[in-house]
Amino acid sequence: MTDHRRAQRGNVAGKMLLALIILAAFWGLFYWDLNIRDAGGDASDAVTDEEPGEDAPADDPDDDEPETPDEAPDDAPADVTDETGAVFSYLPVGDLLPESGPGFADDTVYRDILFPTAGRAYLNSQVYRYGGYYGALNGMEGGQCEAQNYEYPWQDTFCEKRSRDQDLCPGGGHEGLDIRPADCTKNAHLAVAAEDARVVDVRRHWVTLQTNDGTLYNYLHLNMGALNVSLGDYVSKGDPIGVISNDFYKSDGTSVPTTIHLHFEMYENYVTDGDDEPLFTKVNPYLTLVAAYDRKLRDE
Ligand SMILES: [Zn+2]
């Protein structure tokens, strides 16, 4: 091969190399552009932000689906756990135990309250579960200290079947919610003020608080011989009211102890129909308490 031909070949090779470099540069730009677009947000952003064109068929959004479409969105609240590591869960409002009454599915969170007991708490039936008079109806035979009474999920007990009348419970029902403390120990767990309030009544096994704007809270079954408050006291949110016990006195003063729990009631102005006069009555505080407990576990 002559030097001339070698030079010619070198020339051709150089031109091919240059062409390859230019091609590679175009490909590089193309992919860089795609990557910038994809990195611009999550998959749903990519669908809406993408300009329609050959590279991003707007008529075929399936192409832009995330690889794991069932994954929870990033802003979904994470599970919250108590200090034992147990994940807090609760059954829907109005979802009562079988045989225990109709319930009342009120989905209102009435007020931003502090959860009314210190420590862990378990909302469930005192009458239709272990240790309750009608526990056997649901195959829950045993004492009130059974471990299953101290587990999540919570269960609503508002309008649980009783002989008493109540405005929102047709045929009579339980006009509050029952809260078991962290464990089955009497006189060991504090009940605390849900809001800044005044102690407006102390009688039998009741302590009643009232806020400035009228909301009433009843705390029942505290140890009435060792309350932290007296009639007329002003309390701040979080102040101790007393210890959770099983005090229950009939109107003639006879003591008939109940299970160890706080029965918690809340009175609000409630309207069943837009045209009705507001009814100042006991309302179902279930979701108000769920929200308060969730905040408590998150230290908010
Ligand atoms: Zn109760």
Side-chain angles (χ1 to χ4, degrees):
M1 197 182 285
T2 63
D3 287 343
H4 175 71
R5 282 177 66 102
R6 248 185 218 126
Q8 253 188 344
R9 271 194 179 182
N11 214 0
V12 168
K15 279 180 182 162
M16 281 177 72
L17 190 65
L18 189 65
L20 273 172
I21 287 168
I22 290 166
L23 241 167
F26 268 109
W27 274 111
L29 271 172
F30 176 71
Y31 278 111
W32 179 72
D33 182 47
L34 274 189
N35 287 336
I36 290 290
R37 288 173 185 224
D38 286 346
D42 64 23
S44 58
D45 286 341
V47 171
T48 49
D49 290 347
E50 198 91 310
E51 286 172 25
E54 286 174 29
D55 299 334
D59 59 344
D60 191 5
D62 283 353
D63 283 357
D64 294 311
E65 283 293 299
E67 284 175 20
T68 50
D70 294 335
E71 207 171 282
D74 289 344
D75 55 354
D79 284 344
V80 63
T81 55
D82 66 20
E83 76 265 24
T84 69
V87 174
F88 169 51
S89 61
Y90 60 96
L91 298 172
V93 66
D95 182 359
L96 275 61
L97 274 172
E99 315 289 338
S100 75
F104 187 83
D106 176 0
D107 61 3
T108 312
V109 174
Y110 282 94
R111 294 171 74 92
D112 185 5
I113 66 168
L114 183 73
F115 194 79
T117 72
R120 298 193 307 283
Y122 302 96
L123 268 71
N124 55 44
S125 177
Q126 307 299 304
V127 177
Y128 293 85
R129 289 181 63 88
Y130 306 93
Y133 190 79
Y134 292 118
L137 285 179
N138 289 304
M140 296 181 176
E141 289 167 86
Q144 64 168 312
C145 295
E146 291 283 338
Q148 291 96 321
N149 277 344
Y150 293 85
E151 288 174 353
Y152 308 117
W154 284 5
Q155 187 158 29
D156 189 3
T157 58
F158 196 85
C159 288
E160 192 175 69
K161 212 187 295 174
R162 295 286 196 283
S163 55
R164 297 189 293 272
D165 285 337
Q166 210 273 336
D167 290 326
L168 295 180
C169 303
H174 183 234
E175 59 275 33
L177 291 178
D178 292 333
I179 305 173
R180 293 182 204 268
D183 60 45
C184 195
T185 316
K186 185 175 156 180
N187 300 335
H189 304 283
L190 277 176
V192 299
E195 292 196 68
D196 295 353
R198 195 164 75 93
V199 180
V200 295
D201 200 4
V202 178
R203 68 187 190 283
R204 286 164 57 196
H205 48 276
W206 267 267
V207 177
T208 305
L209 307 186
Q210 186 161 37
T211 65
N212 258 340
D213 55 353
T215 297
L216 289 169
Y217 297 106
N218 283 335
Y219 291 67
L220 276 70
H221 316 307
L222 301 178
N223 180 352
M224 297 302 284
L227 292 178
N228 296 79
V229 296
S230 307
L231 183 63
D233 284 357
Y234 285 92
V235 291
S236 296
K237 196 176 193 174
D239 282 353
I241 306 300
V243 285
I244 298 168
S245 194
N246 59 349
D247 282 14
F248 189 113
Y249 298 99
K250 297 210 287 197
S251 50
D252 66 3
T254 314
S255 171
V256 281
T258 178
T259 48
I260 299 161
H261 73 284
L262 172 70
H263 171 103
F264 183 77
E265 298 176 348
M266 182 175 184
Y267 284 74
E268 282 285 12
N269 276 323
Y270 180 86
V271 183
T272 48
D273 186 289
D275 298 328
D276 288 350
E277 283 294 303
L279 180 70
F280 191 66
T281 188
K282 290 170 187 169
V283 294
N284 186 351
Y286 187 69
L287 291 182
T288 304
L289 288 172
V290 166
Y293 196 67
D294 187 84
R295 281 195 301 275
K296 170 182 157 125
L297 294 183
R298 293 177 200 276
D299 286 325
E300 285 172 6

